[in-house]
mmCIF file of all heavy atoms in Angstrom:
data_model
loop_
_atom_site.group_PDB
_atom_site.id
_atom_site.type_symbol
_atom_site.label_atom_id
_atom_site.label_comp_id
_atom_site.label_asym_id
_atom_site.label_seq_id
_atom_site.Cartn_x
_atom_site.Cartn_y
_atom_site.Cartn_z
ATOM 1 N N LEU B 452 -150.111 -44.648 237.755
ATOM 2 C CA LEU B 452 -150.407 -46.086 237.675
ATOM 3 C C LEU B 452 -151.370 -46.517 238.768
ATOM 4 O O LEU B 452 -152.006 -47.564 238.670
ATOM 5 C CB LEU B 452 -149.110 -46.901 237.786
ATOM 6 C CG LEU B 452 -148.035 -46.618 236.729
ATOM 7 C CD1 LEU B 452 -146.756 -47.389 237.072
ATOM 8 C CD2 LEU B 452 -148.531 -47.020 235.347
ATOM 9 N N ALA B 453 -151.434 -45.709 239.824
ATOM 10 C CA ALA B 453 -152.223 -46.110 240.982
ATOM 11 C C ALA B 453 -153.605 -45.471 240.988
ATOM 12 O O ALA B 453 -154.405 -45.717 241.875
ATOM 13 C CB ALA B 453 -151.477 -45.727 242.264
ATOM 14 N N GLU B 454 -153.847 -44.619 239.986
ATOM 15 C CA GLU B 454 -155.100 -43.873 239.989
ATOM 16 C C GLU B 454 -156.048 -44.372 238.900
ATOM 17 O O GLU B 454 -155.625 -44.941 237.899
ATOM 18 C CB GLU B 454 -154.819 -42.380 239.749
ATOM 19 C CG GLU B 454 -153.844 -41.755 240.751
ATOM 20 C CD GLU B 454 -154.399 -41.707 242.162
ATOM 21 O OE1 GLU B 454 -155.555 -42.134 242.386
ATOM 22 O OE2 GLU B 454 -153.661 -41.264 243.070
ATOM 23 N N SER B 455 -157.318 -44.084 239.096
ATOM 24 C CA SER B 455 -158.321 -44.465 238.097
ATOM 25 C C SER B 455 -158.644 -43.304 237.167
ATOM 26 O O SER B 455 -159.425 -43.450 236.242
ATOM 27 C CB SER B 455 -159.594 -44.926 238.820
ATOM 28 O OG SER B 455 -160.077 -43.861 239.623
ATOM 29 N N ASP B 456 -158.005 -42.139 237.437
ATOM 30 C CA ASP B 456 -158.339 -40.953 236.640
ATOM 31 C C ASP B 456 -157.918 -41.119 235.187
ATOM 32 O O ASP B 456 -156.908 -41.742 234.882
ATOM 33 C CB ASP B 456 -157.637 -39.727 237.241
ATOM 34 C CG ASP B 456 -158.092 -39.474 238.661
ATOM 35 O OD1 ASP B 456 -159.304 -39.370 238.886
ATOM 36 O OD2 ASP B 456 -157.218 -39.425 239.561
ATOM 37 N N LEU B 457 -158.721 -40.503 234.305
ATOM 38 C CA LEU B 457 -158.447 -40.597 232.868
ATOM 39 C C LEU B 457 -157.605 -39.412 232.407
ATOM 40 O O LEU B 457 -157.668 -38.322 232.979
ATOM 41 C CB LEU B 457 -159.765 -40.633 232.091
ATOM 42 C CG LEU B 457 -160.731 -41.762 232.478
ATOM 43 C CD1 LEU B 457 -162.011 -41.662 231.647
ATOM 44 C CD2 LEU B 457 -160.074 -43.126 232.290
ATOM 45 N N LEU B 458 -156.828 -39.628 231.352
ATOM 46 C CA LEU B 458 -156.112 -38.554 230.679
ATOM 47 C C LEU B 458 -156.668 -38.508 229.265
ATOM 48 O O LEU B 458 -156.601 -39.509 228.543
ATOM 49 C CB LEU B 458 -154.606 -38.831 230.644
ATOM 50 C CG LEU B 458 -153.880 -38.898 232.003
ATOM 51 C CD1 LEU B 458 -152.406 -39.223 231.803
ATOM 52 C CD2 LEU B 458 -154.012 -37.577 232.738
ATOM 53 N N ASP B 459 -157.176 -37.355 228.908
ATOM 54 C CA ASP B 459 -157.860 -37.237 227.599
ATOM 55 C C ASP B 459 -158.882 -38.367 227.411
ATOM 56 O O ASP B 459 -158.945 -39.006 226.352
ATOM 57 C CB ASP B 459 -156.836 -37.281 226.451
ATOM 58 C CG ASP B 459 -156.227 -35.910 226.193
ATOM 59 O OD1 ASP B 459 -156.763 -34.903 226.708
ATOM 60 O OD2 ASP B 459 -155.210 -35.858 225.479
ATOM 61 N N ASP B 460 -159.626 -38.632 228.453
ATOM 62 C CA ASP B 460 -160.691 -39.641 228.421
ATOM 63 C C ASP B 460 -160.182 -41.069 228.177
ATOM 64 O O ASP B 460 -160.951 -41.949 227.803
ATOM 65 C CB ASP B 460 -161.753 -39.288 227.360
ATOM 66 C CG ASP B 460 -162.322 -37.894 227.581
ATOM 67 O OD1 ASP B 460 -162.524 -37.535 228.767
ATOM 68 O OD2 ASP B 460 -162.513 -37.167 226.597
ATOM 69 N N GLN B 461 -158.919 -41.263 228.330
ATOM 70 C CA GLN B 461 -158.340 -42.610 228.181
ATOM 71 C C GLN B 461 -157.683 -42.987 229.511
ATOM 72 O O GLN B 461 -157.291 -42.116 230.288
ATOM 73 C CB GLN B 461 -157.232 -42.592 227.102
ATOM 74 C CG GLN B 461 -157.703 -42.212 225.704
ATOM 75 C CD GLN B 461 -158.371 -43.384 225.015
ATOM 76 O OE1 GLN B 461 -157.930 -44.527 225.163
ATOM 77 N NE2 GLN B 461 -159.444 -43.117 224.299
ATOM 78 N N PRO B 462 -157.529 -44.267 229.738
ATOM 79 C CA PRO B 462 -156.750 -44.649 230.930
ATOM 80 C C PRO B 462 -155.357 -44.021 230.857
ATOM 81 O O PRO B 462 -154.799 -43.874 229.754
ATOM 82 C CB PRO B 462 -156.662 -46.177 230.843
ATOM 83 C CG PRO B 462 -157.761 -46.578 229.930
ATOM 84 C CD PRO B 462 -158.002 -45.432 228.994
ATOM 85 N N ALA B 463 -154.790 -43.696 232.004
ATOM 86 C CA ALA B 463 -153.480 -43.049 232.034
ATOM 87 C C ALA B 463 -152.426 -43.902 231.337
ATOM 88 O O ALA B 463 -151.484 -43.381 230.727
ATOM 89 C CB ALA B 463 -153.072 -42.787 233.490
ATOM 90 N N THR B 464 -152.581 -45.220 231.418
ATOM 91 C CA THR B 464 -151.570 -46.098 230.808
ATOM 92 C C THR B 464 -151.495 -45.897 229.297
ATOM 93 O O THR B 464 -150.437 -46.140 228.702
ATOM 94 C CB THR B 464 -151.868 -47.571 231.133
ATOM 95 O OG1 THR B 464 -153.249 -47.825 230.861
ATOM 96 C CG2 THR B 464 -151.569 -47.895 232.572
ATOM 97 N N THR B 465 -152.586 -45.456 228.685
ATOM 98 C CA THR B 465 -152.550 -45.202 227.237
ATOM 99 C C THR B 465 -151.630 -44.027 226.940
ATOM 100 O O THR B 465 -150.784 -44.082 226.040
ATOM 101 C CB THR B 465 -153.973 -44.902 226.724
ATOM 102 O OG1 THR B 465 -154.840 -45.956 227.139
ATOM 103 C CG2 THR B 465 -153.997 -44.772 225.210
ATOM 104 N N TRP B 466 -151.805 -42.951 227.715
ATOM 105 C CA TRP B 466 -150.932 -41.780 227.511
ATOM 106 C C TRP B 466 -149.470 -42.148 227.814
ATOM 107 O O TRP B 466 -148.560 -41.771 227.073
ATOM 108 C CB TRP B 466 -151.390 -40.629 228.408
ATOM 109 C CG TRP B 466 -150.554 -39.394 228.223
ATOM 110 C CD1 TRP B 466 -150.577 -38.538 227.164
ATOM 111 C CD2 TRP B 466 -149.552 -38.886 229.122
ATOM 112 N NE1 TRP B 466 -149.651 -37.534 227.335
ATOM 113 C CE2 TRP B 466 -148.999 -37.723 228.528
ATOM 114 C CE3 TRP B 466 -149.061 -39.308 230.363
ATOM 115 C CZ2 TRP B 466 -147.994 -36.970 229.141
ATOM 116 C CZ3 TRP B 466 -148.063 -38.558 230.974
ATOM 117 C CH2 TRP B 466 -147.540 -37.404 230.369
ATOM 118 N N ILE B 467 -149.258 -42.901 228.884
ATOM 119 C CA ILE B 467 -147.885 -43.291 229.245
ATOM 120 C C ILE B 467 -147.260 -44.098 228.112
ATOM 121 O O ILE B 467 -146.098 -43.886 227.746
ATOM 122 C CB ILE B 467 -147.887 -44.107 230.565
ATOM 123 C CG1 ILE B 467 -148.372 -43.227 231.724
ATOM 124 C CG2 ILE B 467 -146.496 -44.652 230.860
ATOM 125 C CD1 ILE B 467 -148.688 -44.009 232.994
ATOM 126 N N ALA B 468 -148.040 -44.994 227.533
ATOM 127 C CA ALA B 468 -147.512 -45.825 226.439
ATOM 128 C C ALA B 468 -147.136 -44.955 225.247
ATOM 129 O O ALA B 468 -146.087 -45.178 224.609
ATOM 130 C CB ALA B 468 -148.536 -46.878 226.035
ATOM 131 N N ASP B 469 -147.962 -43.942 224.950
ATOM 132 C CA ASP B 469 -147.637 -43.029 223.853
ATOM 133 C C ASP B 469 -146.327 -42.292 224.125
ATOM 134 O O ASP B 469 -145.469 -42.159 223.251
ATOM 135 C CB ASP B 469 -148.761 -41.989 223.674
ATOM 136 C CG ASP B 469 -150.021 -42.624 223.081
ATOM 137 O OD1 ASP B 469 -149.926 -43.768 222.590
ATOM 138 O OD2 ASP B 469 -151.085 -41.960 223.115
ATOM 139 N N VAL B 470 -146.208 -41.805 225.352
ATOM 140 C CA VAL B 470 -144.990 -41.075 225.722
ATOM 141 C C VAL B 470 -143.781 -42.004 225.607
ATOM 142 O O VAL B 470 -142.744 -41.640 225.047
ATOM 143 C CB VAL B 470 -145.118 -40.512 227.158
ATOM 144 C CG1 VAL B 470 -143.789 -39.976 227.644
ATOM 145 C CG2 VAL B 470 -146.187 -39.423 227.205
ATOM 146 N N GLU B 471 -143.935 -43.229 226.109
ATOM 147 C CA GLU B 471 -142.800 -44.160 226.064
ATOM 148 C C GLU B 471 -142.394 -44.492 224.644
ATOM 149 O O GLU B 471 -141.217 -44.684 224.358
ATOM 150 C CB GLU B 471 -143.134 -45.437 226.841
ATOM 151 C CG GLU B 471 -143.083 -45.215 228.344
ATOM 152 C CD GLU B 471 -143.048 -46.517 229.121
ATOM 153 O OE1 GLU B 471 -141.960 -47.118 229.216
ATOM 154 O OE2 GLU B 471 -144.115 -46.939 229.611
ATOM 155 N N SER B 472 -143.373 -44.565 223.744
ATOM 156 C CA SER B 472 -142.982 -44.888 222.370
ATOM 157 C C SER B 472 -142.257 -43.695 221.751
ATOM 158 O O SER B 472 -141.328 -43.869 220.968
ATOM 159 C CB SER B 472 -144.175 -45.356 221.542
ATOM 160 O OG SER B 472 -145.017 -44.275 221.291
ATOM 161 N N GLU B 473 -142.634 -42.492 222.131
ATOM 162 C CA GLU B 473 -141.856 -41.339 221.638
ATOM 163 C C GLU B 473 -140.462 -41.325 222.270
ATOM 164 O O GLU B 473 -139.471 -41.036 221.595
ATOM 165 C CB GLU B 473 -142.589 -40.025 221.926
ATOM 166 C CG GLU B 473 -141.811 -38.846 221.345
ATOM 167 C CD GLU B 473 -142.558 -37.522 221.381
ATOM 168 O OE1 GLU B 473 -143.761 -37.517 221.684
ATOM 169 O OE2 GLU B 473 -141.908 -36.498 221.083
ATOM 170 N N PHE B 474 -140.386 -41.649 223.553
ATOM 171 C CA PHE B 474 -139.080 -41.738 224.233
ATOM 172 C C PHE B 474 -138.140 -42.670 223.461
ATOM 173 O O PHE B 474 -136.949 -42.394 223.312
ATOM 174 C CB PHE B 474 -139.256 -42.279 225.652
ATOM 175 C CG PHE B 474 -139.732 -41.261 226.661
ATOM 176 C CD1 PHE B 474 -140.087 -41.661 227.947
ATOM 177 C CD2 PHE B 474 -139.822 -39.911 226.333
ATOM 178 C CE1 PHE B 474 -140.518 -40.731 228.885
ATOM 179 C CE2 PHE B 474 -140.256 -38.974 227.265
ATOM 180 C CZ PHE B 474 -140.611 -39.389 228.542
ATOM 181 N N ALA B 475 -138.685 -43.782 223.005
ATOM 182 C CA ALA B 475 -137.852 -44.767 222.327
ATOM 183 C C ALA B 475 -137.235 -44.213 221.052
ATOM 184 O O ALA B 475 -136.213 -44.712 220.582
ATOM 185 C CB ALA B 475 -138.678 -46.014 222.021
ATOM 186 N N SER B 476 -137.854 -43.158 220.491
ATOM 187 C CA SER B 476 -137.327 -42.592 219.243
ATOM 188 C C SER B 476 -136.334 -41.464 219.515
ATOM 189 O O SER B 476 -135.825 -40.862 218.588
ATOM 190 C CB SER B 476 -138.484 -42.059 218.402
ATOM 191 O OG SER B 476 -139.016 -40.888 219.016
ATOM 192 N N LEU B 477 -136.069 -41.157 220.782
ATOM 193 C CA LEU B 477 -135.193 -40.031 221.114
ATOM 194 C C LEU B 477 -133.864 -40.556 221.665
ATOM 195 O O LEU B 477 -133.788 -40.946 222.834
ATOM 196 C CB LEU B 477 -135.878 -39.124 222.149
ATOM 197 C CG LEU B 477 -137.152 -38.427 221.676
ATOM 198 C CD1 LEU B 477 -137.915 -37.838 222.854
ATOM 199 C CD2 LEU B 477 -136.821 -37.336 220.665
ATOM 200 N N PRO B 478 -132.809 -40.583 220.840
ATOM 201 C CA PRO B 478 -131.538 -41.150 221.295
ATOM 202 C C PRO B 478 -130.861 -40.308 222.370
ATOM 203 O O PRO B 478 -129.952 -40.778 223.046
ATOM 204 C CB PRO B 478 -130.694 -41.188 220.017
ATOM 205 C CG PRO B 478 -131.295 -40.167 219.117
ATOM 206 C CD PRO B 478 -132.760 -40.102 219.452
ATOM 207 N N ASN B 479 -131.292 -39.057 222.531
ATOM 208 C CA ASN B 479 -130.680 -38.177 223.533
ATOM 209 C C ASN B 479 -131.315 -38.358 224.909
ATOM 210 O O ASN B 479 -130.977 -37.644 225.841
ATOM 211 C CB ASN B 479 -130.806 -36.715 223.097
ATOM 212 C CG ASN B 479 -132.226 -36.353 222.698
ATOM 213 O OD1 ASN B 479 -132.929 -37.147 222.082
ATOM 214 N ND2 ASN B 479 -132.658 -35.165 223.067
ATOM 215 N N LEU B 480 -132.225 -39.303 225.029
ATOM 216 C CA LEU B 480 -132.895 -39.553 226.316
ATOM 217 C C LEU B 480 -132.526 -40.944 226.808
ATOM 218 O O LEU B 480 -132.581 -41.915 226.059
ATOM 219 C CB LEU B 480 -134.411 -39.455 226.138
ATOM 220 C CG LEU B 480 -135.259 -39.877 227.344
ATOM 221 C CD1 LEU B 480 -135.134 -38.858 228.467
ATOM 222 C CD2 LEU B 480 -136.718 -40.027 226.953
ATOM 223 N N ARG B 481 -132.136 -41.012 228.068
ATOM 224 C CA ARG B 481 -131.834 -42.307 228.670
ATOM 225 C C ARG B 481 -132.842 -42.543 229.791
ATOM 226 O O ARG B 481 -132.941 -41.744 230.724
ATOM 227 C CB ARG B 481 -130.409 -42.300 229.236
ATOM 228 C CG ARG B 481 -130.007 -43.623 229.871
ATOM 229 C CD ARG B 481 -128.601 -43.507 230.476
ATOM 230 N NE ARG B 481 -128.164 -44.799 230.973
ATOM 231 C CZ ARG B 481 -127.078 -45.436 230.544
ATOM 232 N NH1 ARG B 481 -126.314 -44.904 229.623
ATOM 233 N NH2 ARG B 481 -126.745 -46.606 231.063
ATOM 234 N N ILE B 482 -133.597 -43.607 229.691
ATOM 235 C CA ILE B 482 -134.571 -43.952 230.726
ATOM 236 C C ILE B 482 -133.905 -44.934 231.674
ATOM 237 O O ILE B 482 -133.361 -45.946 231.242
ATOM 238 C CB ILE B 482 -135.803 -44.650 230.119
ATOM 239 C CG1 ILE B 482 -136.365 -43.849 228.951
ATOM 240 C CG2 ILE B 482 -136.855 -44.912 231.199
ATOM 241 C CD1 ILE B 482 -137.218 -42.716 229.334
ATOM 242 N N MET B 483 -133.934 -44.630 232.937
ATOM 243 C CA MET B 483 -133.349 -45.533 233.926
ATOM 244 C C MET B 483 -134.454 -45.984 234.878
ATOM 245 O O MET B 483 -134.821 -45.269 235.804
ATOM 246 C CB MET B 483 -132.205 -44.845 234.673
ATOM 247 C CG MET B 483 -131.098 -44.400 233.718
ATOM 248 S SD MET B 483 -129.702 -43.623 234.558
ATOM 249 C CE MET B 483 -128.906 -45.078 235.269
ATOM 250 N N ARG B 484 -134.960 -47.163 234.621
ATOM 251 C CA ARG B 484 -135.979 -47.727 235.504
ATOM 252 C C ARG B 484 -135.282 -48.429 236.656
ATOM 253 O O ARG B 484 -134.112 -48.759 236.585
ATOM 254 C CB ARG B 484 -136.854 -48.712 234.738
ATOM 255 C CG ARG B 484 -137.673 -48.052 233.621
ATOM 256 C CD ARG B 484 -138.510 -49.068 232.882
ATOM 257 N NE ARG B 484 -139.294 -48.434 231.812
ATOM 258 C CZ ARG B 484 -138.823 -48.168 230.597
ATOM 259 N NH1 ARG B 484 -137.573 -48.470 230.283
ATOM 260 N NH2 ARG B 484 -139.583 -47.583 229.698
ATOM 261 N N ARG B 485 -136.051 -48.715 237.720
ATOM 262 C CA ARG B 485 -135.502 -49.376 238.911
ATOM 263 C C ARG B 485 -134.266 -48.623 239.427
ATOM 264 O O ARG B 485 -133.324 -49.215 239.925
ATOM 265 C CB ARG B 485 -135.104 -50.820 238.607
ATOM 266 C CG ARG B 485 -136.262 -51.700 238.149
ATOM 267 C CD ARG B 485 -135.853 -53.159 238.034
ATOM 268 N NE ARG B 485 -136.981 -54.000 237.717
ATOM 269 C CZ ARG B 485 -137.265 -54.427 236.487
ATOM 270 N NH1 ARG B 485 -136.492 -54.106 235.473
ATOM 271 N NH2 ARG B 485 -138.316 -55.184 236.291
#
Side-chain angles (χ1 to χ4, degrees):
Chain B
L452 301 174
E454 304 294 359
S455 60
D456 299 306
L457 303 179
L458 296 178
D459 276 347
D460 305 321
Q461 298 281 322
T464 48
T465 307
W466 181 74
I467 296 168
D469 289 347
V470 170
E471 285 195 80
S472 71
E473 183 171 350
F474 281 172
S476 71
L477 296 166
N479 50 322
L480 172 71
R481 181 183 185 120
I482 309 279
M483 301 182 75
R484 295 179 180 84
R485 299 187 175 99

